[in-house]
């Protein structure tokens, strides 16, 4: 029997229509799933009472997959097949990965993103991440007693487009409907801000296992506005471990280390770092495969010396973000610390020194991101009226195009509030040119070679003209997930040739579908059932949303005939929902979607007019 | 969506360079609160798409009006003047002279942050003067060519300030 | 007392209200919907409706609209844990049949 949760006033759902939604912090070291239950955000534990799921996936020779503690426990024993910190490889090519030498994996260079060779075959980081997400999804469903309508998944604010797209693909592969990709520091700000009724300028210092973000937010009356974000998507707690690891090698005069010892010593290094959070020194003991015994004493002072340059490296983004926001250190009212690595006393001291105030540590740095994501998921799923708060986030890195001479022309500057769009016109440089190649890049540097290449595509079918006569309009659109799509269109002659690309580094829709098919869980029948189930969820949501809209503004905005036509489309979709013909369901959904366009436009116009009414009155008073 | 509406009308503001920043911000937030995609995450496809288009449009309008430089450029554009037309780069000789002096000062400062700060203060003060001039030229005198010339000077100042930022970095 | 909360339920409700930071109590009701005719309504109450009947159980104020009362008379609201899932359960003596899930019922 289903158990009931207390709903927000007026937000009770019909039986079997609970909009169960979760927030997922897909971390480098640990992952968590949280939800809002009875009005309160809580982290969901597994059956053993663990909230944190180690982000570790082990592929076994028998075809099985272990995730979490079970996988972590075998990391030293089975290093090639036990993938730790997979987040570092998301959306990355082989040449983007530093510290290859300290990693025990067998990498396969593949276009766009590396792959890892395991006993279960070559795995993309997207597939590995999907294994973690599947476990969290199952945990959420067990704890909430039903299927999830969707999840908010957090990503480092400084993740580029490739890394975001890879994360979204992993979620799709795990069978999760992504309500939104949310930046980790923003999620933390929601959890902190709502709990403490914070107002003013806040900095969120988020040092995760493998990524560092610094976001500056302005909190006013329930609006969380990100003013600037900076970071380093290849700097995190792992690097502190690696420094200790290298120190161990040096002290013990080890020159070659096999992969087992490597994984074991990395684990010892991490333990030592954590131990030093509350102690002056940590003892590191280990027995190597060679029989050599390691017994070392690491003092806090030595640890601080080893990692001083890493701590300093985090302060540069602090400076840059403040400058981009046009603010000074004195303007910052509070500094929220996020990520397990911020427990390191030297980091807290350095951040305190930089901002001239002790950072806020009154919340659990491991959980705050998941809790904020859960709160946002609750709003996006429609369980809250949504008037309580509004998020305005930004693009972390400039987006641009390659122009002549390998230079970058920026189209969307970093820290633009999303969603955003910009268009730029280009022209042909040769007589009779009928195609133009377009190379989309992300980054701040002037040379294409120094930026991240996101996609290349060709616009064909330009009518042959003299050089400079054709006009090609390239439009960049970044959506609310921070994901880019690019359109190019030849407009000079009125003949339009358009193409929309999803940048090509990630996985194509076909590839994701193929992976889904290949996964043993989804046999052909299951696939069809799953498609139908997904279409049903979408259709039901559409019926519900249209009915709500009709009830709210139907009389005011529609003529009797228009209303009757829409109601007919709703009834037709309702009818299709009763059967199990996928094609009929899709047709009825498309028809209703198409039919509501004009009504939706009128509703939006009304909303904007409503929002301004207050200001018009202001004017009258003046 | 009514794309013909100008940015000022969108926020219910008078068309002018001088602007009540607080009122702009309030109008921006109130509109976003109504039309942001987060409000439509569980709505139908049509509403989701429209909400993204609206939010995009409102963001663009806000970013344009919020920054004095972009606001002035936009106002001139509304009056049919392309202030940054690449074919017109004329600058008065005295301003060109000052430009050269500032550039030399920047080169001489090298990594000296004290010297950089002094130069930055001077440039910021001059940029503020230029913005005050813009207000006169646009709102009172409606002298578009003069405003366009001031805007070109301001663009140069912004570039130089960026270079100072970069010099701090090193 | 026509409607009560178990002690466990009351403790949880008080806890949720405190963490939520606002609210004056709990609003219970029934509405017609669902596979077996009626469905429960369980919401936070942020403001008092003068028409509602007001009860007190283990320190929690419970509001019920008069129309719902006859369907809820004698009900105890309990808080239970089932595996990883936890939540509230209506023990309602008026129920003649309910759908398998317990979210919808008939009197």
């Amino acid at each position: 029997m289903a158990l009931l949760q207390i709903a927000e006033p007026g937000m009770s759902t019909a039986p079997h229509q609970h909009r169960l939604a979760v927030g997922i912090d897909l971390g480098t070291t640990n992952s968590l799933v949280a939800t809002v239950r009875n009005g309160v955000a809580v982290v969901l534990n597994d059956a053993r009472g663990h909230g944190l799921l180690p982000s570790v996936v082990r592929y076994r020779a028998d075809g099985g997959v272990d995730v979490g503690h079970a996988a972590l426990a075998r990391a030293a024993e089975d290093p090639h097949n036990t993938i730790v910190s997979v987040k570092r490889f998301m959306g990355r090519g082989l040449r983007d990965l530093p510290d290859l030498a300290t990693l025990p994996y067998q990498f396969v260079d593949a276009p766009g993103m590396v792959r890892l060779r395991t006993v279960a075959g070559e795995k993309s980081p997207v597939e590995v991440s999907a294994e973690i997400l599947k476990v969290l999804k199952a945990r959420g469903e067990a704890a909430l007693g039903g299927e999830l309508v969707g999840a908010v998944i957090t990503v480092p604010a400084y993740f580029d487009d490739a890394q975001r797209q890879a994360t979204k693909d992993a979620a799709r592969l795990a069978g999760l409907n992504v309500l939104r990709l949310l930046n980790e520091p923003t999620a933390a700000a929601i959890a902190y801000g709502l709990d403490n009724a914070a107002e003013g300028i806040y900095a969120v210092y988020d040092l995760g296992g493998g990524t560092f973000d610094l976001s500056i937010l302005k909190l006013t009356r329930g609006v969380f506005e990100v003013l600037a974000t900076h970071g380093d998507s290849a700097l995190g707690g792992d690097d502190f471990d690696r420094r200790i690891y290298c120190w161990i090698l040096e002290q013990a005069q080890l020159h070659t280390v096999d992969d087992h010892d490597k994984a074991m010593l990395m684990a010892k290094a991490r333990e030592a770092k954590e131990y030093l959070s509350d102690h002056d020194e940590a003892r590191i003991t280990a027995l190597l495969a060679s029989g050599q015994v390691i017994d070392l004493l690491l003092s806090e002072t030595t640890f601080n010396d080893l990692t001083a340059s890493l701590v300093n490296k985090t302060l540069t983004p602090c400076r840059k973000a403040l400058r981009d926001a046009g603010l000074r250190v004195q303007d910052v009212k509070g500094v929220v610390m996020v990520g397990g690595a911020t427990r390191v006393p030297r980091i807290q001291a350095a951040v305190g020194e930089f901002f001239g105030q002790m950072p806020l540590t009154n919340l659990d740095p491991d959980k705050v991101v998941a809790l904020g994501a859960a709160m946002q998921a609750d709003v996006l799923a429609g369980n809250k009226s949504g008037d309580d708060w509004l998020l305005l986030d930004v693009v972390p890195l400039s987006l641009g195009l390659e122009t002549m001479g390998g230079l970058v022309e920026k189209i969307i500057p970093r820290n633009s509030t999303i969603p955003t769009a910009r268009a730029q016109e280009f022209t042909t440089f040769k007589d009779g040119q009928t195609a133009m190649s377009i190379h989309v890049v992300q980054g701040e540097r002037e040379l294409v070679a120094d930026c991240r290449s996101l996609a290349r595509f060709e616009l064909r079918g330009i009518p042959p003209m003299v050089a400079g006569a054709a006009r090609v309009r390239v439009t960049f659109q970044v959506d609310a997930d921070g994901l880019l799509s690019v359109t190019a269109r030849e407009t000079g002659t009125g003949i339009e040739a358009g193409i929309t690309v999803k940048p090509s580094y990630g996985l194509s829709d076909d590839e994701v579908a193929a992976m889904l098919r290949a996964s043993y869980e989804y046999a052909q029948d299951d696939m069809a059932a799953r498609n139908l189930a997904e279409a049903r969820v979408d259709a039901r949501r559409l019926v519900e949303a249209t009915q709500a809209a009709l009830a709210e503004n139907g009389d005011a905005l529609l003529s009797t005939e228009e209303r009757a036509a829409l109601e007919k489309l709703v009834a037709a979709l309702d009818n299709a929902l009763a059967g199990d013909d996928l094609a009929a369901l899709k047709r009825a959904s498309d028809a209703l979607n198409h039919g509501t366009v004009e009504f939706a436009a009128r509703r939006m116009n009304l909303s904007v007019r409503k929002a301004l009414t207050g200001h018009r009155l202001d004017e009258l008073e003046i | 969506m009514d794309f013909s509406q100008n940015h000022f009308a969108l926020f219910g503001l008078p068309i002018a360079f001088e602007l009540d920043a607080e009122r702009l911000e309030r109008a921006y937030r109130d509109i976003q609160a109504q039309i942001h995609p987060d409000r439509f995450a569980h709505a139908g496809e049509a509403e989701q798409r429209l909400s993204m288009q609206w939010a995009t449009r409102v963001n663009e309008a806000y970013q344009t009006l919020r920054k004095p430089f972009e606001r002035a450029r936009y106002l001139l554009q509304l009056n049919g003047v392309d202030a940054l037309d690449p074919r017109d780069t004329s600058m008065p000789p005295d301003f060109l002279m000052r430009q050269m002096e500032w550039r030399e000062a920047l080169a001489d400062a090298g990594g000296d942050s004290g010297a950089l700060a002094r130069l930055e203060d001077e440039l910021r003060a001059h940029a503020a003067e230029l913005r005050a001039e813009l207000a006169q030229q646009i709102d009172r005198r409606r002298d578009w060519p003069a405003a366009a010339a001031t805007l070109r000077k301001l663009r140069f100042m912004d570039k130089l300030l960026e270079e100072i930022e970069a010099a701090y970095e090193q | 007392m026509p409607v009560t909360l178990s002690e466990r339920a009351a403790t949880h409700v008080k806890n949720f209200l405190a963490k939520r930071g606002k609210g004056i109590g709990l609003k219970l009701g029934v509405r017609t919907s669902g596979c077996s005719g009626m469905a429960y309504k369980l919401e936070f109450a942020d403001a008092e409706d003068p028409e509602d009947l007001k009860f007190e159980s283990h320190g929690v104020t419970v509001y019920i609209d008069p129309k719902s009362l006859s369907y809820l008379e004698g009900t105890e609201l309990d808080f239970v844990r089932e595996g990883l899932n936890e939540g509230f359960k209506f023990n309602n003596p008026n129920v003649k049949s309910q759908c398998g899930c317990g979210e919808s019922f008939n009197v």
Side-chain angles (χ1 to χ4, degrees):
Chain A
M1 125 150 213
L3 302 175
L4 298 166
Q5 312 296 332
I6 312 175
E8 288 296 307
M11 303 301 282
S12 288
T13 50
H16 318 290
Q17 304 264 312
H18 299 289
R19 291 180 284 248
L20 304 175
V22 294
I24 291 179
D25 175 359
L26 183 61
T28 308
T29 318
N30 292 299
S31 296
L32 297 93
V33 55
T35 195
V36 173
R37 259 212 291 224
N38 303 301
V40 180
V42 285
V43 168
L44 299 173
N45 291 342
D46 67 8
R48 290 191 177 160
H50 295 298
L52 299 183
L53 176 75
S55 303
V56 183
V57 176
R58 174 173 178 237
Y59 292 95
R60 297 196 310 254
D62 64 8
V65 181
D66 293 324
V67 179
H69 295 282
L72 182 62
R74 310 296 282 274
E77 182 189 323
D78 188 14
H80 296 144
N81 302 306
T82 310
I83 321 298
V84 179
S85 300
V86 67
K87 189 172 177 178
R88 291 202 144 193
F89 315 141
M90 290 289 269
R92 296 271 175 189
L94 199 57
R95 70 180 190 111
D96 305 321
L97 299 177
D99 305 313
L100 276 178
T102 61
L103 296 168
Y105 311 117
Q106 297 169 333
F107 288 103
V108 183
D109 201 7
M113 208 184 316
V114 292
R115 289 170 158 270
L116 298 124
R117 190 172 294 127
T118 74
V119 67
E122 275 182 25
K123 297 288 172 187
S124 147
V126 169
E127 289 169 275
V128 181
S129 299
E131 294 296 342
I132 299 167
L133 289 170
K134 277 184 208 165
V135 171
L136 295 172
K137 176 179 183 246
R139 188 192 288 185
E141 289 180 339
L144 297 176
E147 245 191 81
L148 304 179
V149 295
V152 166
I153 300 183
T154 60
V155 289
Y158 215 57
F159 252 20
D160 65 28
D161 204 69
Q163 295 167 303
R164 283 168 200 270
Q165 190 64 55
T167 307
K168 201 169 181 181
D169 287 340
R172 272 201 302 169
L173 198 54
L176 278 167
N177 172 37
V178 179
L179 294 168
R180 188 71 79 231
L181 293 180
L182 178 61
N183 290 327
E184 285 160 10
T186 310
I190 298 177
Y192 177 82
L194 293 177
D195 259 11
N196 296 277
E199 295 265 312
I201 305 288
Y202 281 79
V204 181
Y205 180 102
D206 181 356
L207 186 60
T211 57
F212 173 67
D213 289 329
L214 192 285
S215 287
I216 308 280
L217 289 101
K218 181 173 174 187
L219 279 55
T220 14
R221 285 173 286 117
V223 182
F224 294 79
E225 184 180 3
V226 180
L227 299 177
T229 195
H230 242 286
D232 188 333
S233 58
L235 171 66
D238 282 8
D239 296 296
F240 288 70
D241 303 348
R242 203 164 290 119
R243 290 279 164 96
I244 299 178
Y245 166 84
C246 292
W247 176 81
I248 298 174
L249 296 194
E250 200 183 285
Q251 295 293 309
Q253 301 188 335
L254 298 170
H255 301 294
T256 50
V257 192
D258 74 9
D259 288 339
H260 294 268
D261 286 345
K262 215 181 252 178
M264 189 226 351
L265 290 176
M266 275 301 286
K268 294 280 177 190
R270 171 168 304 170
E271 279 168 27
K273 176 189 74 181
E274 284 167 8
Y275 191 77
L276 284 172
S277 287
D278 319 296
H279 301 84
D280 296 338
E281 54 184 25
R283 187 160 180 193
I284 301 167
T285 55
L287 176 61
L288 301 183
S290 63
Q292 185 181 345
V293 174
I294 299 213
D295 189 354
L296 295 166
L297 214 51
L298 176 62
S299 71
E300 197 190 342
T301 319
T302 309
F303 171 65
N304 288 345
D305 289 346
L306 289 174
T307 56
S309 64
L310 294 175
V311 175
N312 276 334
K313 225 170 147 184
T314 67
L315 298 180
T316 309
C318 297
R319 261 189 295 275
K320 287 185 175 168
L322 275 173
R323 187 173 321 130
D324 280 355
L327 295 170
R328 286 163 311 168
V329 164
Q330 305 87 280
D331 299 319
V332 176
K333 200 171 155 196
V335 185
V336 178
M337 300 293 269
V338 185
T342 59
R343 290 203 177 88
V344 172
R346 180 68 203 119
I347 292 180
Q348 294 188 5
V351 172
E353 227 167 90
F354 179 86
F355 285 100
Q357 59 182 306
M358 276 325 284
L360 302 159
T361 48
N362 56 336
L363 24 77
D364 187 336
D366 285 322
K367 292 185 177 162
V368 60
V369 167
L371 294 175
M375 292 171 172
Q376 187 66 6
D378 197 41
V379 168
L380 296 181
N383 292 325
K384 244 171 128 54
S385 59
D387 292 340
D388 293 22
W389 71 83
L390 174 70
L391 286 191
L392 298 167
D393 220 316
V394 301
V395 194
L397 293 151
S398 303
L399 291 156
L401 284 176
E402 174 168 356
T403 59
M404 301 272 258
L407 293 176
V408 179
E409 166 122 17
K410 282 181 189 163
I411 309 283
I412 293 183
R414 69 165 184 268
N415 292 322
S416 298
T417 308
I418 52 173
T420 186
R422 272 295 165 85
Q424 192 93 307
E425 267 192 5
F426 294 89
T427 186
T428 46
F429 62 94
K430 267 194 243 155
D431 287 342
Q433 188 180 339
T434 57
M436 186 181 273
S437 86
I438 288 165
H439 184 199
V440 184
V441 297
Q442 186 163 28
E444 307 311 318
R445 307 282 293 276
E446 278 170 25
L447 292 176
V448 167
D450 298 327
C451 288
R452 178 165 189 87
S453 166
L454 291 181
R456 286 171 195 274
F457 69 99
E458 246 188 28
L459 178 72
R460 294 170 192 279
I462 300 172
M465 282 179 270
V466 292
R471 294 251 172 276
V472 174
R473 195 174 170 78
V474 181
T475 307
F476 278 42
Q477 169 85 56
V478 180
D479 66 14
D481 288 326
L483 291 172
L484 170 73
S485 57
V486 182
T487 323
R489 181 163 278 125
E490 200 287 309
T491 56
T493 52
I495 302 165
E496 296 205 348
I499 175 179
T500 301
V501 286
K502 284 276 177 201
S504 56
Y505 41 76
L507 301 170
S508 68
D509 286 357
D510 290 347
E511 277 178 285
V512 173
M515 281 182 187
L516 276 174
R517 270 196 300 276
S519 125
Y520 58 92
E521 285 170 61
Y522 299 108
Q524 202 57 34
D525 289 354
D526 290 348
M527 224 16 224
R530 192 180 137 106
N531 284 340
L532 183 63
E534 276 175 9
R536 276 213 175 112
V537 171
D538 286 348
R540 251 187 235 119
R541 194 186 62 190
L542 183 58
V543 167
E544 219 180 289
T546 312
Q547 280 169 341
L550 280 171
E552 201 185 336
N553 309 111
D555 291 337
L557 298 179
L558 295 174
S559 70
T560 322
E561 298 80 49
E562 286 169 331
R563 183 173 186 143
L566 263 187
E567 274 165 352
K568 211 169 133 193
L569 291 172
V570 172
L573 182 53
D574 234 350
N575 221 358
L577 265 167
D580 49 17
D581 180 350
L582 178 63
L585 192 59
K586 286 223 157 130
R587 268 199 308 278
S589 290
D590 286 347
L592 181 53
N593 265 324
H594 191 73
T596 51
V597 171
E598 177 56 29
F599 181 39
R602 288 182 206 167
R603 273 166 52 80
M604 289 286 171
N605 288 333
L606 182 69
S607 296
V608 174
R609 278 208 300 280
K610 265 193 200 151
L612 280 174
T613 318
H615 303 283
R616 295 254 165 76
L617 291 176
D618 273 354
E619 256 170 90
L620 292 175
E621 281 165 22
I622 293 166
Chain B
M1 192 174 351
D2 184 5
F3 274 114
S4 59
Q5 198 181 28
N6 75 55
H7 295 343
F8 293 96
L10 177 66
F11 294 116
L13 293 166
I15 302 179
F17 181 75
E18 296 264 30
L19 156 142
D20 181 344
E22 234 173 76
R23 199 162 123 199
L24 169 65
E25 189 178 328
R26 206 155 19 125
Y28 167 68
R29 286 163 175 237
D30 286 350
I31 297 178
Q32 279 292 13
Q34 295 286 330
I35 51 93
H36 193 274
D38 285 355
R39 295 278 182 267
F40 297 90
H42 58 282
E45 231 171 74
E47 291 200 323
Q48 286 193 0
R49 196 175 47 243
L50 272 165
S51 134
M52 184 171 84
Q53 288 169 349
W54 257 108
T56 298
R57 154 105 171 87
V58 172
N59 276 334
E60 189 204 341
Y62 178 61
Q63 292 307 330
T64 305
L65 296 195
R66 204 170 64 104
K67 300 175 199 140
F69 180 90
E70 297 297 333
R71 184 164 72 239
R73 185 180 176 188
Y74 178 67
L75 275 163
L76 289 175
Q77 213 178 303
L78 285 180
N79 288 289
V81 178
D82 179 2
L84 304 182
D85 189 333
R87 283 165 301 186
D88 184 4
T89 53
S90 61
M91 282 277 183
D94 60 327
F95 187 76
L96 286 172
M97 281 302 289
R98 282 187 91 173
Q99 255 190 55
M100 271 157 62
E101 285 163 24
W102 283 325
R103 284 216 174 280
E104 273 166 29
L106 176 59
D108 291 346
D112 178 357
S113 58
L116 283 173
R118 278 191 299 279
L119 182 59
E120 188 181 348
D121 287 346
E122 189 189 331
L123 290 174
R124 288 200 188 283
H126 189 70
E129 276 168 36
L130 289 175
R131 280 194 291 272
E133 256 174 58
L134 268 180
Q136 283 293 327
Q137 290 159 340
I138 296 176
D139 291 350
R140 312 269 186 293
R141 304 212 302 271
R142 307 182 74 76
D143 183 347
W144 315 133
T150 308
L151 205 59
R152 281 195 293 275
K153 288 185 193 169
L154 207 48
R155 179 172 61 167
F156 169 78
M157 305 295 297
D158 284 346
K159 271 192 192 148
L160 205 57
L161 280 164
E162 265 173 41
E163 282 171 41
I164 291 180
E165 299 284 358
Y168 275 124
E169 292 283 285
Q170 289 154 10
Chain C
M1 184 78 65
V3 175
T4 54
L5 267 63
S6 73
E7 209 170 324
R8 198 166 29 185
T11 309
H12 278 98
V13 171
K14 278 186 268 186
N15 190 9
F16 294 144
L17 279 168
K19 283 197 184 148
R20 185 169 170 266
K22 61 173 181 189
I24 53 172
L26 212 53
K27 169 115 179 175
L28 303 187
V30 298
R31 2 176 231 156
T32 49
S33 78
C35 42
S36 298
M38 301 279 228
Y40 294 111
K41 192 164 118 178
L42 175 63
E43 295 177 359
F44 289 110
D46 281 341
E48 220 173 296
D49 183 334
E51 295 205 348
D52 283 352
L53 298 152
K54 199 165 133 180
F55 304 95
E56 187 87 14
S57 179
H58 292 294
V60 175
T61 313
V62 179
Y63 299 87
I64 300 178
D65 68 280
K67 276 188 227 143
S68 292
L69 189 63
S70 57
Y71 302 106
L72 290 173
E73 192 83 48
T75 295
E76 188 204 48
L77 184 67
D78 196 8
F79 188 88
V80 294
R81 201 159 270 155
E82 290 174 359
L84 286 178
N85 194 2
E86 58 180 35
F88 294 89
K89 196 168 164 178
F90 282 81
N91 293 318
N92 185 347
N94 307 300
V95 170
K96 293 210 183 69
S97 65
Q98 57 182 18
C99 84
C101 66
E103 285 185 47
S104 174
F105 63 96
N106 213 327
V107 290

